[in-house]
Amino acid sequence: MSKATPRKARHRQHPSNSGPRQQVHASDYESDTAYYMENRNMAPQAPSKTRSDMEVNLTVLRRYDPTIKSVLTIAANAVIYTIGQASAGWEKHGVEGTLFVCEQEPRADSSGQHLPQYCIFILNRRGMNNFVVDLARISNCEVVEELIVFQLEDGYTIDSNETEEGAQKAIGIWMHEDETRPRSANFTTIMGAWQEARTAGSAYLPTDDEGQGAPVAVAETPAPQNVGFVPGQQININDLFANK
C-alpha cells in the first residue's frame, strides 16, 4: 500500500510583535474641542456691543435730521388730525406712526444767543414723508380729552405743498394709550418741551416801543377743555384756546 502523502501544517497568522503598537485613546467632543481651542493660534476678538433700543432709534432719526441729540419720550402709535375745510371737523391727515419728542442741537438767533430747540417727529407709515413739528413755532398748546392740540404760528406750515392761505391753523395729535407710557405722561413731556422752547425764544424777541418783549402764550399746565374729541365734529379754534 502506498503511504499517504503527509499534509503540510497550516500556519496561523498572528499579529507581529516586531513593531510598536499604536494605542487608541478614548475621545469625546468636549475634550477634543478644548484641546483644539487651546492649541489654535487665534487672534483676540473684540467684545460684541449690544445697542440699546434708544441708540437704534437715535441712529434712525439722525438719518432724517442730524440735529436731533436725544429722545425725551416715545409714543408707539400716534395719529395726526387736522380741521377739514369742508367739514370744519377733525379729519385724519394721512400721518400715522411712532412718535418721538426730540431735543435738538441749540440754534443760534440773530444776536448769537443759543436757544433750546425741540420737535415732534413721527415716522409715517402711511406715506413717504415723515411728519415734523417745530415746537418753537407753536403759538398755543392745549390738551383736549384724547388730543393734544397745537395752534400754529402765522406763516408756519406743516406740509411743504401748503400755501399760506390754505395752511392749517391747528393740528391735533392722538396717541395710543400705553400701559408703560400713559398718554398723559407724553402730553406732559410735550407741554414742558414746548414751554421751554417758547420761553427761551421770547427772551430774545425784538422789543416794542415800551422796551418789553413781545408776549408769548405759554400754558402752565395741560388743562383739558370741555370740547371733546369727536372725529368729524365741527371745531372752532377760538373755542379750543378760549382760556389763552
Side-chain angles (χ1 to χ4, degrees):
M1 292 180 64
S2 60
K3 294 182 180 180
T5 305
R7 296 182 179 180
K8 294 182 179 179
R10 294 182 180 180
H11 298 282
R12 294 183 180 181
Q13 295 182 355
H14 296 281
S16 174
N17 295 326
S18 59
R21 298 179 62 184
Q22 294 182 353
Q23 184 178 1
V24 179
H25 297 279
S27 175
D28 63 81
Y29 175 78
E30 293 182 357
S31 60
D32 287 350
T33 302
Y35 176 82
Y36 173 74
M37 296 301 293
E38 288 176 0
N39 292 274
R40 185 183 179 191
N41 184 18
M42 297 180 60
Q45 296 181 352
S48 59
K49 294 182 179 179
T50 303
R51 302 179 66 191
S52 66
D53 291 342
M54 188 61 70
E55 290 174 331
V56 174
N57 289 332
L58 277 174
T59 299
V60 173
L61 293 172
R62 285 170 178 164
R63 291 176 184 171
Y64 300 104
D65 187 348
T67 68
I68 293 175
K69 59 184 294 189
S70 66
V71 175
L72 304 181
T73 189
I74 300 174
N77 187 47
V79 181
I80 298 297
Y81 285 85
T82 54
I83 299 176
Q85 294 182 351
S87 65
W90 289 119
E91 297 178 355
K92 288 187 176 181
H93 190 62
V95 175
E96 182 177 349
T98 304
L99 177 147
F100 302 86
V101 181
C102 305
E103 181 183 5
Q104 299 167 280
E105 297 291 343
R107 67 170 179 264
D109 65 0
S110 57
S111 64
Q113 297 290 338
H114 288 80
L115 308 179
Q117 191 172 202
Y118 298 91
C119 72
I120 290 176
F121 196 109
I122 297 179
L123 292 172
N124 186 20
R125 58 173 172 262
R126 295 293 185 184
M128 298 298 295
N129 297 324
N130 296 318
F131 189 84
V132 183
V133 177
D134 182 358
L135 291 179
R137 302 297 305 275
I138 302 301
S139 58
N140 272 321
C141 181
E142 189 68 73
V143 173
V144 182
E145 302 249 344
E146 297 180 354
L147 284 182
I148 185 166
V149 182
F150 297 142
Q151 185 175 13
L152 309 182
E153 279 186 349
D154 292 339
Y156 179 54
T157 59
I158 56 175
D159 289 335
S160 58
N161 58 353
E162 279 185 340
T163 62
E164 187 171 348
E165 293 181 355
Q168 292 289 334
K169 303 301 182 183
I171 61 173
I173 303 179
W174 176 90
M175 302 177 198
H176 177 73
E177 184 69 30
D178 193 340
E179 294 181 357
T180 60
R181 186 65 177 173
R183 184 187 296 121
S184 58
N186 284 326
F187 286 168
T188 300
T189 301
I190 292 172
M191 294 286 284
W194 170 69
Q195 290 172 7
E196 185 173 349
R198 293 292 291 184
T199 302
S202 66
Y204 302 103
L205 290 175
T207 57
D208 56 19
D209 294 339
E210 297 178 359
Q212 301 294 326
V216 176
V218 176
E220 294 182 357
T221 56
Q225 298 298 296
N226 294 328
V227 182
F229 168 52
V230 180
Q233 181 182 1
Q234 291 192 350
I235 301 296
N236 188 313
I237 297 178
N238 293 328
D239 292 341
L240 288 175
F241 302 99
N243 65 331
K244 295 292 186 288

